[in-house]
Amino acid sequence: MSKTAFITGIAGQDGAYLAQFLLGKGYKVHGLVRWDSASEPYEGRSRINALRLNSQNLTLHMGDITDANALTALIKKIKPNEIYNLAALSQVHVSFQTPASTLDINTNGTLNILEAVRILGLEKSVRIYQASSSEMFGSTPPPQNEHSSMMPCSPYGVAKLAAYHLARTYREAYGLFVSNGILFNHESPLRGEDFVTRKIARAVVEFEQGRTEPLKLGNLDAMRDWGFAEDFVKGMWLMLQQKMADDFVLSSGEAHSVRTFVERAFSYIGVEIDWQGEGESEQGIDAQSGRVLITIDAQLFRPLEVNYLLGDASKAAKTLGWAPETDFETLIGLMINEERNISQNGSGPWLKAG
Ligand code: G4F
C-alpha cells in the first residue's frame, strides 16, 4: 500500500521538490498551505500550480502551522506515515524585524506538530522530519558537524535551535521517531527572490537583457556552503527510512563567499567583475565596459552575521548513503538558465512531470 506524507510548508522551495520526489515514489502527499501562500501574486503559487498539474495524489490544505487545534485535527484526518515539517519563516534578515513571530512559527509551530502526534497517540505510527538549519551553528568556527557547538546569531537561528531541542526531547521523552536534518544553504530556481543566490541569478540575466541599474547587495564576504535543493530533499526522505531517528548534517562540503558567487555568476555570461573601492563604497565593475554592476547597500547588512558556514556531511554519507550530486558551478549554471526561461516564458520547467 502506498505511504502517505504530510508536508508543512509545501509551497516553499523544499516543499515543492520534496512533494515531487515523494509523488515519484508513489506516495499520497498532503500539503499545508498558508492562506497567503495560495493567493496571487505570491511566488509560492507558481510552485503549487506546477505541482497540481502533475498529480492526483496531491491534496493541499489551507492552514497555519501556528494553529495547534486545526493542525491536530488535520493530522488526525490525514493519518500520515511521515510528516515533513518544513513550514518556517526562512529569511534570516526578516527574523530580526519580526523576532516574536519567528519564534511563534519556527519554534511553536514545531511544538504543535510534536504535540499533535503525542496527543493523538501516533508515536509509533508516524515518523517526523524536522527542518533544522546550519544557522543554528552561528558563530561556531567551520567545519560544522552534528557535534559542533550551536551559537546562533539571529532570532531565526535561536528559534530553529529551540525547535531542534524540542524534537530531541520528544524523541527521548516519548519515543517519537523524529529526525533533525541540519541543512546548510540549498538553492535552486525555486528559491525565493530575496535570497542572495536567486537575487544574483535574476540580476545577471536582467543585465544580459539590458538592465542598467546596479544590483544592490549587502555583505559580500560571508562564506556559505551552497548546495542544490533537489539533492537535499532526497536526504530528508532517507532520514525517515532508517531504523532509528537521529540528527544529520546535509551540506555540499564546499564554502564560497557571496563575492565569489557574484563573480562566477557574471562569468557564466562572459562578464568579468573588477572590484573597486572599500566598505560601503565598494563597487563591482564590468572589467570590459567599465559599467557599474554592483553597489553596496548598508541596509542589507544584518545586525549580526554568520560569517562562515561549511558543513561536514560525513555522517549522512556513511549512515544514509547520501551525497550531493550538483556542484557549485553546475548550480550557478542551472539557476541562470532557468532564470532565462522564466524571463522568456513566464515560468521555467522547474518540476519534471511526475
Ligand atoms: O541567501 P541568504 O539570505 O541566506 P542565509 O541567511 O544564509 O539563510 C539561508 O540558509 C540557512 C541555512 O544556513 C537557512 F536556514 C535559511 O532559512 C536560509 O535558507 O544570505 C546568504 C548570505 C548572508 O551572509 C547575507 O548577509 O548572503 C549575504 N547577503 C549579501 N547581500 C545577502 C545580500 N543576503 C540577502 N538575502 N540579500 C542580499 O542582498
Side-chain angles (χ1 to χ4, degrees):
M1 220 177 72
S2 70
K3 282 191 187 173
T4 300
F6 176 45
I7 305 175
T8 72
I10 197 168
Q13 165 190 264
D14 295 3
Y17 280 122
L18 179 64
Q20 182 189 44
F21 177 82
L22 294 176
L23 289 168
K25 288 210 164 286
Y27 278 63
K28 289 196 166 50
V29 175
H30 292 259
L32 185 71
V33 185
R34 210 182 55 220
W35 63 273
D36 56 342
S37 301
S39 59
E40 300 283 9
Y42 183 76
E43 62 189 332
R45 175 78 183 197
S46 52
R47 301 181 186 118
I48 292 167
N49 284 347
L51 281 169
R52 268 201 176 141
L53 291 176
N54 288 345
S55 182
Q56 302 294 319
N57 285 333
L58 176 69
T59 313
L60 299 176
H61 304 267
M62 201 77 85
D64 197 306
I65 191 78
T66 60
D67 189 329
N69 292 340
L71 202 58
T72 305
L74 195 55
I75 291 172
K76 188 176 178 195
K77 188 170 142 200
I78 295 170
K79 296 187 188 66
N81 305 97
E82 296 172 8
I83 298 177
Y84 295 85
N85 184 32
L86 311 184
L89 182 142
S90 58
Q91 293 95 339
V92 175
H93 57 104
V94 174
S95 79
F96 284 100
Q97 282 143 25
T98 59
S101 56
T102 302
L103 264 85
D104 203 22
I105 297 163
N106 296 6
T107 309
N108 288 338
T110 305
L111 184 61
N112 291 342
I113 296 275
L114 299 168
E115 274 290 274
V117 169
R118 188 185 71 81
I119 289 166
L120 293 169
L122 301 175
E123 297 95 327
K124 299 286 169 251
S125 59
V126 182
R127 295 181 165 207
I128 305 169
Y129 171 85
Q130 168 56 19
S132 288
S133 162
S134 57
E135 271 290 308
M136 301 185 316
F137 294 121
S139 56
T140 296
Q144 295 97 358
N145 66 21
E146 295 80 1
H147 303 293
S148 303
S149 322
M150 307 275 191
M151 297 165 78
C153 295
S154 64
Y156 172 88
V158 171
K160 280 287 181 182
L161 183 55
Y164 161 90
H165 281 300
L166 282 168
R168 289 175 62 105
T169 302
Y170 273 62
R171 185 163 77 207
E172 285 172 32
Y174 304 117
L176 259 70
F177 188 114
V178 48
S179 293
N180 283 293
I182 307 171
L183 270 54
F184 283 64
N185 297 50
H186 43 288
E187 316 297 309
S188 78
L190 290 181
R191 198 47 150 152
E193 289 166 20
D194 54 353
F195 291 91
V196 80
T197 56
R198 178 88 195 276
K199 189 173 165 182
I200 296 166
R202 167 156 289 196
V204 162
V205 171
E206 286 171 355
F207 280 121
E208 199 174 39
Q209 295 168 350
R211 171 174 171 159
T212 51
E213 189 200 335
L215 168 66
K216 291 180 182 167
L217 291 174
N219 182 3
L220 295 174
D221 295 314
M223 301 290 291
R224 288 291 182 275
D225 178 330
W226 281 295
F228 180 35
E230 203 175 342
D231 293 345
F232 282 47
V233 298
K234 189 176 172 195
M236 297 177 185
W237 174 76
L238 283 169
M239 286 179 213
L240 297 198
Q241 313 314 309
Q242 305 306 303
K243 278 210 181 95
M244 308 273 286
D246 203 347
D247 305 324
F248 297 93
V249 160
L250 298 185
S251 66
S252 81
E254 260 185 52
H256 300 274
S257 64
V258 174
R259 185 186 300 279
T260 301
F261 195 102
V262 170
E263 289 167 0
R264 301 283 174 83
F266 276 98
S267 133
Y268 193 81
I269 60 160
V271 172
E272 189 194 335
I273 300 284
D274 188 12
W275 299 102
Q276 293 179 11
E278 273 177 32
E280 287 176 31
S281 313
E282 186 167 10
Q283 293 186 329
I285 316 268
D286 180 338
Q288 206 174 15
S289 69
R291 201 155 58 102
V292 178
L293 300 178
I294 318 285
T295 56
I296 303 299
D297 180 349
Q299 304 234 24
L300 294 169
F301 282 81
R302 296 166 186 186
L304 194 57
E305 177 68 280
V306 171
N307 291 321
Y308 205 131
L309 289 175
L310 170 62
D312 162 14
S314 47
K315 179 177 171 185
K318 193 169 164 219
T319 313
L320 308 177
W322 180 86
E325 289 165 29
T326 312
D327 67 18
F328 184 61
E329 299 291 341
T330 309
L331 173 65
I332 291 174
L334 75 85
M335 287 186 75
I336 291 176
N337 281 326
E338 286 298 332
E339 216 58 62
R340 286 175 176 147
N341 280 331
I342 294 161
S343 76
Q344 276 158 23
N345 309 323
S347 70
W350 298 318
L351 299 160
K352 292 173 228 120

